[in-house]
Amino acid sequence: DTGVSQNPRHKITKRGQNVTFRCDPISEHNRLYWYRQTLGQGPEFLTYFQNEAQLEKSRLLSDRFSAERPKGSFSTLEIQRTEQGDSAMYLCASSYLIDDRGEQYFGPGTRLTVT
Amino acid sequence: AQTVTQSQPEMSVQEAETVTLSCTYDTSENNYYLFWYKQPPSRQMILVIRQEAYKQQNATENRFSVNFQKAAKSFSLKISDSQLGDTAMYFCAFMKRSYGGSQGNLIFGKGTKLSVKP
């Protein structure tokens, strides 16, 4: 297994444009999480999926953000009408539901810059 | 709501020496996990060590150990025999644990930037 992968690794976009990020979790993991990390801060939770169901969304996830996980495999995070404040590292993590150790495995992140 | 506080934004240590990173947290939960994650420069976050709140024994993983003080809500990380590869951001994190064993999201502190000097 190659671990959690995220694409693209870097994205530069102009304010007002839409962007979409992809996360491919570890294959047998049924939980998938999205976090956002701004400079000098720890990651902040955005949303998570159990299989294809989106179970929880943070108040940080405004109406411009939408996440999907069709078929319970990869996930996409879309940001519409990007703003400069959306500039951040977007991290994806996955875990196995029955894993009682609580460990989440992180991807390398997608760094978004909104100009 | 749970909060995690790391009061040391930056620390440095000489190679082969020992360093302790501090973390405090606030929660009304009784059943939870605590973690230390390491984020090397431009690399992905990896788990260093975990502690289950119901276990009194402090977790150890090779050169890494924790001092878990549940009543004081303190969870410090000790790195012994520091190596250059330990240079990274270190994040303390909290996760509420459900009785069914299911997991929730992680709540992170702001991190401590550790530099190991040769």
Side-chain angles (χ1 to χ4, degrees):
Chain A
D1 197 331
T2 56
V4 179
S5 61
Q6 292 186 247
N7 288 289
R9 294 292 306 276
H10 303 273
K11 178 71 177 179
I12 300 174
T13 191
K14 292 184 177 180
R15 188 175 55 190
Q17 298 295 305
N18 299 344
V19 294
T20 300
F21 311 140
R22 175 176 170 132
C23 170
D24 287 89
I26 293 172
S27 57
E28 66 268 24
H29 285 183
N30 39 22
R31 282 207 170 179
L32 186 149
Y33 304 80
W34 285 100
Y35 294 86
R36 182 174 70 185
Q37 185 178 20
T38 53
L39 204 59
Q41 303 293 319
E44 296 174 294
F45 169 72
L46 292 177
T47 187
Y48 87 88
F49 293 83
Q50 182 171 308
N51 300 315
E52 56 279 344
Q54 189 172 17
L55 295 189
E56 189 174 343
K57 292 193 289 187
S58 161
R59 59 179 174 76
L60 293 176
L61 209 68
S62 76
D63 291 344
R64 297 184 297 104
F65 287 69
S66 63
E68 293 183 342
R69 193 184 182 196
K71 303 178 184 178
S73 56
F74 70 92
S75 176
T76 58
L77 178 67
E78 181 183 15
I79 308 174
Q80 295 182 328
R81 305 181 303 283
T82 52
E83 302 173 355
Q84 286 189 323
D86 296 332
S87 294
M89 176 77 85
Y90 289 84
L91 297 172
C92 176
S94 69
S95 68
Y96 187 45
L97 176 61
I98 308 302
D99 181 355
D100 203 34
R101 298 173 302 168
E103 182 172 357
Q104 294 181 14
Y105 296 78
F106 283 82
T110 294
R111 182 170 294 284
L112 173 66
T113 302
V114 182
T115 61
Chain B
Q2 291 80 28
T3 59
V4 177
T5 302
Q6 293 179 250
S7 58
Q8 304 152 316
E10 291 192 41
M11 293 191 72
S12 65
V13 63
Q14 292 295 128
E15 197 175 6
E17 297 292 306
T18 295
V19 64
T20 298
L21 308 184
S22 302
C23 172
T24 58
Y25 60 96
D26 190 22
T27 184
S28 57
E29 301 289 335
N30 194 48
N31 197 8
Y32 51 88
Y33 297 105
L34 293 165
F35 304 87
W36 280 97
Y37 275 88
K38 168 185 178 181
Q39 189 176 40
S42 301
R43 293 179 61 187
Q44 61 207 76
M45 196 168 313
I46 57 174
L47 179 67
V48 174
I49 197 165
R50 61 187 286 278
Q51 175 81 39
E52 291 151 270
Y54 70 88
K55 289 187 177 179
Q56 293 186 342
Q57 186 173 7
N58 289 323
T60 61
E61 288 286 344
N62 301 313
R63 299 183 294 108
F64 300 88
S65 62
V66 298
N67 183 3
F68 173 46
Q69 302 289 327
K70 190 173 183 179
K73 296 180 182 173
S74 169
F75 184 60
S76 61
L77 174 69
K78 185 170 83 171
I79 306 174
S80 304
D81 185 25
S82 297
Q83 300 175 0
L84 296 178
D86 294 333
T87 293
M89 284 291 292
Y90 286 82
F91 292 97
C92 179
F94 171 100
M95 177 192 287
K96 188 172 69 172
R97 183 176 181 274
S98 303
Y99 285 101
S102 59
Q103 304 158 38
N105 56 286
L106 290 161
I107 298 168
F108 288 89
K110 290 187 176 183
T112 297
K113 184 178 181 181
L114 177 67
S115 299
V116 180
K117 301 185 184 304

